[in-house]
Amino acid sequence: MSKLSPEHLRSLIQPDRVHRDVYTDPALFELEMQQLFGKAWLVLGHDSQVKQPGDYFLTEMARQPVIVARDQAGTVRVFHNRCTHRGAMVCHEPRGNVRQFTCAYHGWTFETSGELKWVPLRSGYEPQADQRLASLALPQVARVALYRGFIFASLAAQGPSLQDSLGHMLSSFDDMVDRAPDGEVEVAGGVFKHAYHGNWKLVLENHLDGVHPNYVHASSVQAAREGPDPGMNAGGAAGSEPYHDIAIRQMRQNGAPDPVWESIGVWTTTHGHGYLGDYHDDSRLVSGLDNPVHAEYHRLLTQRLGQEKARKVLAVTRWNSVIYPNCSFMGQFRQLRIVHPLAVDRSVVYTYSFRLKGAPEQMFRDTVAFSNVVNGTASWVLTDDLEVYERAQRGLAGGGTEWIYVGRGLGRDVPDSEQRLRGATGTSEVFIRNQFAAWLEYMTGESAGESTGNKAGDNA
Ligand code: FES
Ligand SMILES: [Fe+2]
């Protein structure tokens, strides 16, 4: 049986365990780049990153460099970052605004719509080359779609539509955008990037994992418990109070007792997606019911939506939503993270912060503070997770046993709608089983049609 045959791939994903090769085998990683990252809808960013005609940013899909640009007519396009002359990347600056893309190698120049506009020394080509040259536009990525301003693309011409692929997860994007008093969000500031020596899956697994905070983050939980209470940062620098409060509250909340984690809820949906319920004390951290800034925010939201709709929007308390295979985001603090696999044991994560348009400016400051507390490379939270990803990768690459065990909650998970399967408790590993069910469908080429999720992972 070939190492990459469907039979062999199926043997790696069992109901309660997964073979370690899926984290460590370079051949499987290459197949993932073709079958999974090369086919799935990937989150690339948000249209506020390309507000004006000529705005663009660079990113990657399945390790391939791409350009996301708004052309002069206002259409968002995604190009392979590859000159049609002799293959150099046509754009190198990570973001900016251009009238055209000009290749640094021999000066070929492309419109923002991709069309080849100019080549040097044109007289050097025979007249019959005209037709060939006219066909050498910048190649576009097969499929591009937007939802509520978020930009997605797929390298595969065929496959489920974006709407079908996201299914129930559309509601997580709705949650993010509906919170804005002006009905829109925008990426504000730049991008935080961090790399780790570990497989890309580790970050998506971690973001729905309600067991790890009490252990991986134990030292920062302890430090936060010993620090001054929120609102008591006497002696802190002027303006540091909100930062201090968010840091203390977030880190103390990571030490919530087991019953909190068991009760928060974890849901999985089709195509490997899923989300975790919120584990915070809403009156203090997320909705900030006692906070005057939030009171003003509620007023502004109610003004636009009316009492009933505003109440419904604020009643949604999701923590991280994972869009398999490359994104995790959360509306409560307006963060979005995109994971880029570089190698089987090397990954980079891009983190973006969003502003709720029309909300008090202090809420954006809270977003930035939260990002620094949780997603910053010098934060007390991310550093714990990065360390454990690297320990996991080293452990998986070592000897001893071939399998990881993902059986927590197996057999007790409950379907609660056509598309969702909920963990019996918030600490069920149903989300990992669901991610690997999708992994198998992509890897064996069975993902082209509609899947119902969880096939391989659950017997509910
Ligand atoms: S490779 Fe781009 S102009 Fe020659
Ligand atoms: Fe963590």
Side-chain angles (χ1 to χ4, degrees):
M1 185 160 55
S2 136
K3 200 167 149 190
L4 301 180
S5 70
E7 299 74 41
H8 181 71
L9 294 169
R10 281 188 206 102
S11 75
L12 302 174
I13 311 298
Q14 299 183 2
D16 67 344
R17 62 181 195 167
V18 175
H19 197 277
R20 67 172 181 159
D21 280 0
V22 304
Y23 298 91
T24 60
D25 185 329
L28 284 175
F29 177 82
E30 291 303 323
L31 192 66
E32 287 176 344
M33 294 305 101
Q34 279 173 37
Q35 289 290 105
L36 180 45
F37 281 80
K39 295 197 171 164
W41 284 103
L42 302 177
V43 181
L44 301 191
H46 189 263
D47 69 357
S48 57
Q49 294 171 269
V50 287
K51 278 185 187 150
Q52 303 300 328
D55 282 355
Y56 76 88
F57 65 91
L58 304 185
T59 186
E60 293 190 357
M61 298 176 67
R63 291 179 305 179
Q64 302 174 32
V66 300
I67 307 170
V68 181
R70 188 178 295 277
D71 72 16
Q72 298 302 330
T75 303
V76 174
R77 296 180 185 268
V78 183
F79 301 106
H80 290 274
N81 191 353
R82 180 199 187 285
C83 180
T84 48
H85 177 219
R86 281 177 21 211
M89 287 167 61
V90 289
C91 187
H92 182 69
E93 288 297 320
R95 61 179 173 159
N97 181 278
V98 290
R99 286 195 60 76
Q100 298 99 24
F101 293 106
T102 299
C103 180
Y105 201 174
H106 313 96
W108 282 33
T109 298
F110 301 86
E111 300 282 14
T112 50
S113 59
E115 201 180 318
L116 177 60
K117 184 182 178 192
W118 185 81
V119 301
L121 305 164
R122 177 78 184 239
S123 59
Y125 291 101
E126 293 300 305
Q128 54 268 41
D130 282 1
Q131 210 178 344
R132 171 72 79 200
L133 287 169
S135 74
L136 296 181
L138 275 184
Q140 298 193 44
V141 162
R143 290 186 296 162
V144 178
L146 273 74
Y147 183 73
R148 305 289 308 259
F150 294 88
I151 304 168
F152 301 79
S154 166
L155 291 166
Q158 306 294 327
S161 68
L162 176 66
Q163 297 261 336
D164 286 346
S165 176
L166 290 177
H168 187 76
M169 298 308 290
L170 292 168
S171 60
S172 281
F173 289 102
D174 293 339
D175 173 44
M176 180 98 145
V177 180
D178 287 344
R179 287 170 180 276
D182 286 357
E184 285 182 1
V185 297
E186 63 179 353
V187 171
V191 51
F192 253 143
K193 294 184 182 177
H194 65 263
Y196 63 91
H197 288 282
N199 190 264
W200 59 272
K201 300 176 196 73
L202 295 168
V203 68
L204 299 184
E205 293 165 4
N206 174 270
H207 283 193
L208 300 183
D209 182 335
V211 175
H212 87 281
N214 259 315
Y215 301 92
V216 167
H217 301 302
S219 58
S220 60
V221 169
Q222 190 54 36
R225 282 181 181 151
E226 289 166 5
D229 285 337
M232 303 292 290
N233 187 26
S240 68
E241 197 73 19
Y243 180 91
H244 169 82
D245 284 7
I246 284 173
I248 291 289
R249 284 177 170 153
Q250 172 63 35
M251 288 188 282
R252 287 188 185 175
Q253 201 67 21
N254 276 342
D258 289 349
V260 171
W261 298 105
E262 293 288 68
S263 66
I264 56 176
V266 60
W267 288 262
T268 66
T269 78
T270 52
H271 302 288
H273 314 313
Y275 59 90
L276 188 67
D278 182 27
Y279 63 98
H280 293 78
D281 175 340
D282 284 352
S283 67
R284 289 183 308 168
L285 185 61
V286 174
S287 299
L289 299 177
D290 299 335
N291 180 328
V293 173
H294 283 257
E296 172 63 2
Y297 163 63
H298 288 195
R299 191 187 66 75
L300 291 164
L301 195 67
T302 306
Q303 210 169 50
R304 183 174 71 86
L305 297 178
Q307 198 95 28
E308 185 54 18
K309 180 99 197 288
R311 195 190 57 72
K312 272 193 183 151
V313 166
L314 293 172
V316 177
T317 57
R318 292 183 191 179
W319 197 243
N320 290 322
S321 288
V322 163
I323 304 300
Y324 194 77
N326 84 325
C327 177
S328 155
F329 71 103
M330 48 116 81
Q332 301 286 359
F333 274 103
R334 287 79 64 187
Q335 307 285 296
L336 182 137
R337 289 160 284 194
I338 296 178
V339 60
H340 293 278
L342 298 182
V344 71
D345 57 358
R346 184 83 171 145
S347 308
V348 173
V349 178
Y350 295 3
T351 302
Y352 299 95
S353 291
F354 285 74
R355 176 185 276 120
L356 296 177
K357 285 194 183 174
E361 183 60 16
Q362 182 59 46
M363 287 186 66
F364 180 63
R365 289 172 194 268
D366 290 351
T367 296
V368 172
F370 180 84
S371 186
N372 279 302
V373 168
V374 173
N375 293 316
T377 43
S379 83
W380 288 5
V381 179
L382 178 70
T383 39
D384 293 335
D385 292 311
L386 292 180
E387 174 66 23
V388 91
Y389 298 160
E390 299 199 352
R391 291 187 195 182
Q393 192 69 30
R394 287 199 68 194
L396 287 160
T401 176
E402 298 291 301
W403 299 90
I404 64 158
Y405 180 54
V406 292
R408 187 173 167 77
L410 179 65
R412 295 165 56 205
D413 299 319
V414 280
D416 72 348
S417 77
E418 270 175 37
Q419 289 200 313
R420 296 190 305 184
L421 190 71
R422 180 179 180 165
T425 73
T427 61
S428 169
E429 286 166 335
V430 61
F431 59 96
I432 303 184
R433 297 189 289 275
N434 187 54
Q435 288 175 11
F436 277 111
W439 183 90
L440 193 55
E441 286 174 358
Y442 280 111
M443 293 289 274
T444 56
E446 290 164 4
S447 63
E450 289 302 298
S451 76
T452 51
N454 310 299
K455 276 187 211 155
D458 278 277
N459 56 7

